[in-house]
Amino acid sequence: VPTTERTYDAIVIGAGSGGLTVAIGLAGFGRRVALVEASRVGGDCTNVGCVPSKRLIHLSGEPGARNDPAGVLAAVRATRNALSDEEDGKVSASEGIDLIRGRASLLPDRRVVVTGEQGERTLTARDVIVATGSRPRTLNIAGLPPERLLTNETLFEMERPPAHLAIVGAGPIGVEMACAFVRLGARVTLIDLAPRVLPMADPAASTTLEAALVDQGVSLRLETTVLGYDPTGEGLDVEGPDWRETLPGVGAVLVAIGRVPNTQGFGDALEVGPHGIAVNGWGRTSLRRVWAVGDVTPIAHQTHAANALGRRIVQRIALPWLPLGRKPPTIPSAVFSDPEVAWVGPTAGERRSRYHPRALVDLRVDLAGTDRGLTDGVRHGFVAVTAVRFTGRVVSATVVGPHAAELLPLLTFAVGRRTSLLRLQRLVHAYPTMAGAIGAVADEFARRTLPAIRAELVAYLRYRVLKGHPLRGRRHPFLGGRSAG
Ligand SMILES: Cc1cc2nc3c(=O)[nH]c(=O)nc-3n(C[C@H](O)[C@H](O)[C@H](O)COP(=O)(O)OP(=O)(O)OC[C@H]3O[C@@H](n4cnc5c(N)ncnc54)[C@H](O)[C@@H]3O)c2cc1C
């Protein structure tokens, strides 16, 4: 088949969350865009990620779901397929976007080679955007037949849940699916090498979620390794720090232990590290006019993060004269378990490296103690905020509870805009709402700070401005002109 060359303003490789944002955005500015997709439009989020998982979480909570798990899984696929077809139709009909089915790779001279059913084509463009996403990291479990090893790519194709589902990996996907499948009546064992679930969240969130998971009937095996599987007895052998156990009747194992970036075909042209294609805060790669976005980069692996970086890339390409914002946007994280866990800002470990421990104040309000928590019978959940002493600038926040992710925008705004809790304290919340707990946290800060304002000011100067070092204090007796939070 002869190789044909075709020139565009931009070639976007991958039609998932990141690629669609850039392709649709650039087409909106009148650019001629080639969008190359090797599989289904919508990528992981629509087809094997956010959409089917959130639909499953929703439907598994409906009355009667337990009696018809096969029906629930079929309904999940129906919703997913309808959205996927709709997105495909919209993109195919979109003026300014040529949807090209095939697998692309990038040459060091920035030409893009697409291999598809119609053979091989070479495309060129002023800008190339790599948005090829990621795939599940897998695990070799000795003795486990391949059809019993599930990932997010096969999980939603199951006709009915197994009687006992073992989930390896207690990250976002693992905990979300544990909650959904236990509601569908499956026995669920959640296994992780780490000592807590959601190791990327604040430890208090993990503790609360663990208690809730156990309440719901999920068996936890933390600090645990999978040794192998016996297909005859359907036994999964696992090992903890000082014990061994065979989990009986395990029909399938869902492996959710992380993601591998899809960088194959790009390593000759671009700088690629273990976590993906290296980019700056504007999606720029090591090669001029080649950009990367989404899960293929080391930046937060969530749809809204891909969307946010995609918009920045569109801005750089279509509106290069617009001034660059100094800071990348603040990206919140949300896990749709029961209860939901949502957080924004630096994690506990990152805070330790950035701040003197005495420069910060930790505040927490348990939802069970709020009026809305009482009316709704909330047992597990809290709003926790870490703020700078004296100024009250919100550094980070974690919310655990029903619809926790919906409470995050105000806190994300506060972290991104360096807002003080004293300012949030003046906000009036409707009564009774879970958001009222954010007001209660702000009240708590005011109660602790205002009566001791002089002591708090001294602590702020010492531990935040002078970072707690007396010598630095002597070298900088006058604090004017310093920027501190
Ligand atoms: C089970 C699960 C649940 C999730 N839930 C959430 C959630 O609730 N909220 C959230 O924000 N995030 C969630 N995520 C994460 C989210 O799905 C990803 O962060 C997001 O899809 C990344 O978008 P992307 O564009 O980088 O990659 P993708 O969406 O994976 O798209 C990449 C596309 O590129 C194509 N492609 C790959 N290589 C090539 C090639 N060489 N040539 C042509 N095409 C290629 C692929 O076929 C794919 O369509 C979830 C993920 C999973 C797995």
Side-chain angles (χ1 to χ4, degrees):
V1 180
T3 298
T4 54
E5 286 232 8
R6 178 112 199 239
T7 298
Y8 290 89
D9 291 325
I11 302 167
V12 178
I13 304 171
S17 310
L20 284 176
T21 304
V22 179
I24 294 169
L26 288 177
F29 280 102
R31 301 295 198 277
R32 275 181 37 74
V33 179
L35 177 60
V36 188
E37 174 51 59
S39 178
R40 299 181 74 171
V41 169
D44 272 15
C45 187
T46 299
N47 297 295
V48 292
C50 334
V51 172
S53 62
K54 262 79 275 178
R55 186 71 180 139
L56 176 60
I57 288 166
H58 175 76
L59 291 178
S60 66
E62 298 273 278
R66 212 182 168 86
N67 302 327
D68 184 19
V72 169
L73 286 165
V76 168
R77 285 190 289 276
T79 308
R80 183 269 315 265
N81 293 344
L83 181 66
S84 180
D85 291 346
E86 186 189 323
E87 286 181 341
D88 194 302
K90 273 192 190 155
V91 171
S92 306
S94 173
E95 249 180 66
I97 300 181
D98 272 359
L99 178 60
I100 297 171
R101 317 260 175 192
R103 184 161 291 280
S105 57
L106 182 70
L107 301 177
D109 62 7
R110 295 199 307 130
R111 279 182 306 150
V112 173
V113 179
V114 182
T115 313
E117 276 179 5
Q118 286 141 26
E120 198 172 89
R121 302 170 66 178
T122 305
L123 310 175
T124 54
R126 187 161 179 267
D127 290 282
V128 177
I129 300 95
V130 184
T132 48
S134 61
R135 58 188 184 279
R137 209 174 124 204
T138 53
L139 188 66
N140 189 18
I141 300 176
L144 185 71
E147 67 279 8
R148 292 193 180 213
L149 189 146
L150 303 170
T151 66
N152 69 294
E153 293 179 348
T154 48
L155 179 73
F156 306 108
E157 308 311 317
M158 260 191 316
E159 285 300 319
R160 59 189 67 250
H164 185 174
L165 176 68
I167 301 178
V168 184
I173 299 173
V175 297
E176 286 184 359
M177 292 303 97
C179 294
F181 279 93
V182 87
R183 286 187 199 155
L184 290 183
R187 182 174 163 193
V188 175
T189 305
L190 185 57
I191 301 162
D192 205 301
L193 266 175
R196 61 186 177 103
V197 304
L198 291 185
M200 63 292 287
D202 258 23
S206 305
T207 310
T208 303
L209 181 59
E210 281 164 17
L213 287 168
V214 170
D215 264 12
Q216 289 160 56
V218 175
S219 304
L220 293 182
R221 297 289 183 279
L222 299 171
E223 295 182 86
T224 300
T225 318
V226 176
L227 299 175
Y229 184 78
D230 165 23
T232 328
E234 294 193 327
L236 184 69
D237 295 322
V238 296
E239 184 182 55
D242 50 11
W243 51 266
R244 266 187 179 208
E245 184 186 3
T246 299
L247 302 171
V250 173
V253 180
L254 168 63
V255 175
I257 54 170
R259 314 283 305 169
V260 181
N262 290 327
T263 55
Q264 56 291 28
F266 300 93
D268 289 344
L270 303 175
E271 192 186 315
V272 174
H275 303 294
I277 297 175
V279 285
N280 71 3
W282 289 89
R284 217 181 262 282
T285 67
S286 54
L287 195 59
R288 212 181 142 264
R289 301 221 73 98
V290 177
W291 315 77
V293 57
D295 281 14
V296 75
T297 73
I299 294 178
H301 290 175
Q302 294 162 91
T303 286
H304 49 275
N307 185 269
L309 184 55
R311 284 158 185 259
R312 283 160 82 81
I313 294 174
V314 172
Q315 181 190 323
R316 292 308 297 142
I317 295 175
L319 307 167
W321 39 266
L322 263 189
L324 298 176
R326 272 192 307 153
K327 263 187 12 159
T330 306
I331 306 286
S333 296
V335 179
F336 299 88
S337 45
D338 180 10
E340 290 184 6
V341 179
W343 66 94
V344 62
T347 60
E350 291 164 343
R351 290 196 299 272
R352 270 195 294 279
S353 64
R354 288 188 211 170
Y355 296 89
H356 190 287
R358 300 189 69 178
L360 299 177
V361 55
D362 293 317
L363 304 132
R364 168 172 163 152
V365 168
D366 284 318
L367 294 178
T370 65
D371 288 2
R372 186 58 190 258
L374 179 78
T375 58
D376 290 9
V378 176
R379 294 181 49 223
H380 304 284
F382 61 83
V383 173
V385 172
T386 300
V388 174
R389 271 174 92 165
F390 177 69
T391 68
R393 173 168 71 77
V394 178
V395 171
S396 61
T398 297
V399 183
V400 181
H403 310 296
E406 307 292 343
L407 262 58
L408 221 48
L410 177 62
L411 295 163
T412 304
F413 186 84
V415 169
R417 292 299 179 96
R418 304 166 68 87
T419 306
S420 167
L421 282 172
L422 295 172
R423 189 173 265 261
L424 291 191
Q425 199 215 0
R426 294 201 288 271
L427 200 69
V428 178
H429 298 277
Y431 174 87
T433 53
M434 297 292 175
I438 298 175
V441 163
D443 282 346
E444 177 60 20
F445 176 77
R447 253 194 307 274
R448 282 200 210 175
T449 305
L450 298 181
I453 194 82
R454 284 165 74 111
E456 287 302 301
L457 171 63
V458 169
Y460 169 71
L461 295 175
R462 173 152 190 204
Y463 298 113
R464 180 68 193 131
V465 180
L466 306 176
K467 321 275 185 191
H469 299 295
L471 268 180
R472 284 180 71 177
R474 240 174 271 146
R475 266 189 272 135
H476 300 281
F478 303 107
L479 304 168
R482 263 169 170 269
S483 79

